[in-house]
Amino acid sequence: KMINLSVPDTIDERAINKKKLTPFIIQENLNLALNSASAIGCHVVNIGAEDLREGKPHLVLGLLWQIIKIGLFADIELSRNEALAALLRDGENLEDLMKLSPEELLLRWANFHLENAGWHKISNFSSDIKDSRAYFHLLNQIAPKGQKEGEPQIVISMSGFNEKDDLRRAEYMLQQADRLGCRQFVTPADVVSGNPKLNLAFVANLFNKYPALTKPENQDIDWTLLEGETREERTFRNWMNSLGVNPHVNHLYGDLQDALVILQLYEKIKVPVDWNKVNKPPYPKLGANMKKLENCNYAVDLGKHPAKFSLVGIGGQDLNDGNPTLTLALVWQLMRRYTLNVLEDLGDGQKANDDIIVSWVNQTLKEAGKSTSIQNFKDKTISTSLAVVDLIDAIQPGCINYDLVKTGHLSEDDKQNNAKYAVSMARRIGARVYALPEDLVEVKPKMVMTVFACLMGRGMKRV
């Protein structure tokens, strides 16, 4: 339920086992939760269902924090919230703002309001907010002033501002936050101790409820830059983050411009990286781009030689420029190789490719007495998701509730419902599927391939 609150519709609730909760069924629910968390970009590489079942505190808390953070940060992004452009500083353009992480945007948002209040800036949400005074000013700035129609004024009392005791001052401040309906995530003690995660969550919640920003109208801002990310871009980004790359990827192209993340992904697909050849941040003020470009050139070289990717017409400069088409071409080949490697590990090193996956899928369906089959990953019949559903049932007989599956002549809604059920059931039986239901409905060949490959991997583990 928390995953669905953070990214709506990630899990089809029909796939959750709610009846007789035997250990096996609990295990399946935990698989569904972990594989879905991975699909929304949580790093779950070192967490298994048994860790959750045993309730290992640091692993459970770590996962919960990641899920909460994804939900809290969903709208702290320019394409979802154009009023953030009000935070532009002199000489900056939208691209500069788009490069900031959600944490950096939140800090800038808080400082924008603190500056208007005539209070000094803060540089973090831990030591700088311990005395609650910055929070008092922030609450006072963002509280509705009652100037808009249908928006009652909420007056923030600053009377606790001069309280001598830090804890009592924090309590007075939180009482005012409560008037905005925002007394969440922190206790007075959390504020005074400067707990970074909880205070970040507190501020993100304030932003989500009362951004108090006006979209700039008259400045010459190029709003066309604000195309939100495509589904494919988001899937690739979530895949990278679930593998635990550092830094966390917030913007697919901007965050790959020094190739550090790409080089980490090479290691994940068993292409050795000589880290002595890699320039690492912090980069020098002068010549920073040169250092990043050298990394990008190295990343393209690795792709051409040891990795044997098809990188015709792609140079380091393209990655460094954040060229979408060419960056995606490389990233897709990384994800594809990662998916195929999983199969090769299970198949004692036998090479895997599209034809092998298609024939395995059809063989498995046939052996289970199913009538569905696929010709290739572009096969239009995949849009019904029936082949995926049947394959899941062939891998784990009896797990699909066919009463929930629509057959015959399908409307778009029927297709979407089948796909949602298929993706969630694949995750429930233990396949780490990154693709989205829409990818099946629209038959996006790349993503379809990853779905069948993940299921094949799960199917080969049956022995």
Side-chain angles (χ1 to χ4, degrees):
K1 285 200 186 305
M2 277 190 58
I3 289 171
N4 276 350
L5 282 175
S6 283
V7 183
D9 276 345
T10 300
I11 299 176
D12 185 335
E13 297 223 352
R14 296 173 301 175
I16 303 172
N17 289 309
K18 299 186 178 109
K19 299 196 178 73
K20 303 186 293 249
L21 290 178
T22 62
F24 173 72
I25 285 179
I26 291 172
Q27 169 95 11
E28 283 208 330
N29 281 345
L30 293 169
N31 280 342
L32 174 59
L34 281 170
N35 287 327
S36 301
S38 175
I40 63 170
C42 294
H43 177 211
V44 296
V45 170
N46 303 322
I47 309 175
E50 47 291 342
D51 297 319
L52 293 183
R53 206 168 53 236
E54 290 165 21
K56 293 190 177 161
H58 66 288
L59 290 175
V60 175
L61 289 173
L63 180 59
L64 282 178
W65 167 242
Q66 290 187 72
I67 296 168
I68 290 169
K69 195 165 148 185
I70 287 168
L72 280 172
F73 285 0
D75 288 332
I76 307 176
E77 206 257 317
L78 263 162
S79 62
R80 303 273 291 261
N81 200 331
E82 293 184 349
L84 280 164
L87 304 179
L88 278 170
R89 295 184 182 146
D90 287 348
E92 279 186 335
N93 59 28
L94 274 189
E95 276 186 321
D96 299 314
L97 214 47
M98 287 164 75
K99 283 183 182 150
L100 299 180
S101 69
E103 288 96 328
E104 290 167 329
L105 271 173
L106 268 185
L107 199 56
R108 190 178 278 214
W109 170 75
N111 282 327
F112 170 84
H113 286 304
L114 290 176
E115 220 169 323
N116 288 342
W119 192 249
H120 47 74
K121 287 186 175 180
I122 56 172
S123 55
N124 57 57
F125 293 123
S126 51
S127 56
D128 287 5
I129 50 83
K130 286 179 175 183
D131 66 4
S132 300
R133 291 196 166 107
Y135 279 160
F136 262 111
H137 282 298
L138 180 57
L139 292 171
N140 196 29
Q141 287 293 315
I142 65 175
K145 305 290 181 271
Q147 287 149 347
K148 289 190 195 135
E149 214 175 302
E151 175 195 78
Q153 182 179 9
I154 300 175
V155 178
I156 296 296
S157 161
M158 299 290 278
S159 60
F161 187 84
N162 293 321
E163 163 62 49
K164 301 243 181 326
D165 180 76
D166 279 351
L167 262 176
R168 274 208 294 271
R169 191 182 322 106
E171 170 57 35
Y172 289 142
M173 180 276 294
L174 288 175
Q175 284 171 9
Q176 299 310 306
D178 200 17
R179 304 181 68 171
L180 296 175
C182 292
R183 184 169 185 156
Q184 278 141 317
F185 297 110
V186 289
T187 62
D190 298 323
V191 175
V192 174
S193 68
N195 179 310
K197 282 182 181 162
L198 294 177
N199 279 286
L200 181 65
F202 174 68
V203 176
N205 188 43
L206 288 175
F207 171 86
N208 285 331
K209 289 194 175 157
Y210 296 99
L213 295 174
T214 311
K215 179 180 167 182
E217 290 302 341
N218 43 12
Q219 302 163 5
D220 57 341
I221 291 177
D222 181 3
W223 295 103
T224 54
L225 290 169
L226 287 192
E227 304 269 298
E229 64 181 343
T230 64
R231 275 205 324 270
E232 187 178 42
E233 288 162 359
R234 191 170 81 220
T235 303
F236 286 147
R237 210 167 53 76
N238 288 342
W239 167 68
M240 293 172 187
N241 287 328
S242 75
L243 294 178
V245 294
N246 189 14
H248 184 91
V249 182
N250 294 303
H251 310 291
L252 192 57
Y253 308 111
D255 292 352
L256 302 184
Q257 285 174 318
D258 64 356
L260 281 186
V261 167
I262 291 176
L263 294 167
Q264 290 168 56
L265 292 170
Y266 276 121
E267 289 205 310
K268 307 273 184 204
I269 61 164
K270 303 180 195 148
V271 170
V273 174
D274 178 356
W275 289 100
N276 295 323
K277 288 187 177 173
V278 179
N279 303 309
K280 300 174 194 68
Y283 301 105
K285 277 275 190 291
L286 271 171
N289 213 40
M290 197 59 218
K291 297 279 184 210
K292 293 178 183 179
L293 183 58
E294 286 169 5
N295 288 351
C296 292
N297 288 334
Y298 181 43
V300 172
D301 288 345
L302 283 178
K304 284 179 177 161
H305 304 302
K308 297 193 174 61
F309 286 163
S310 156
L311 297 177
V312 180
I314 300 180
Q317 187 69 55
D318 300 310
L319 296 181
N320 188 244
D321 293 342
N323 176 307
T325 314
L326 300 177
T327 303
L328 276 183
L330 172 58
V331 170
W332 160 240
Q333 291 182 73
L334 286 161
M335 185 173 182
R336 179 184 157 79
R337 179 69 54 85
Y338 177 82
T339 309
L340 294 176
N341 277 358
V342 172
L343 289 183
E344 283 165 19
D345 290 348
L346 290 166
D348 303 325
Q350 284 175 319
K351 278 277 167 265
N353 60 33
D354 289 11
D355 294 343
I356 289 170
I357 299 169
V358 170
S359 62
W360 181 88
V361 167
N362 289 330
Q363 184 67 25
T364 308
L365 287 167
K366 195 170 145 198
E367 283 170 11
K370 306 287 186 190
S371 60
T372 46
S373 65
I374 61 169
Q375 289 176 336
N376 50 42
F377 300 132
K378 297 187 181 113
D379 188 333
K380 285 287 168 250
T381 63
I382 292 169
S383 74
T384 64
S385 299
L386 293 175
V388 184
V389 169
D390 281 348
L391 183 60
I392 294 166
D393 200 66
I395 292 168
Q396 191 170 305
C399 74
I400 293 288
N401 175 354
Y402 276 96
D403 294 344
L404 300 174
V405 181
K406 300 277 197 309
T407 54
H409 182 70
L410 299 185
S411 68
E412 283 308 303
D413 275 358
D414 292 338
K415 287 181 176 179
Q416 182 69 21
N417 275 324
N418 279 358
K420 262 176 71 172
Y421 184 58
V423 167
S424 283
M425 286 306 296
R427 291 175 184 153
R428 186 177 113 184
I429 66 164
R432 185 154 288 176
V433 171
Y434 290 93
L436 297 165
E438 291 82 355
D439 297 323
L440 289 176
V441 175
E442 294 165 24
V443 195
K444 296 276 190 228
K446 291 176 181 167
M447 293 298 138
V448 167
M449 173 263 174
T450 65
V451 173
F452 283 114
C454 287
L455 284 168
M456 179 174 170
R458 170 63 185 78
M460 288 163 72
K461 281 187 194 158
R462 274 188 300 175
V463 268

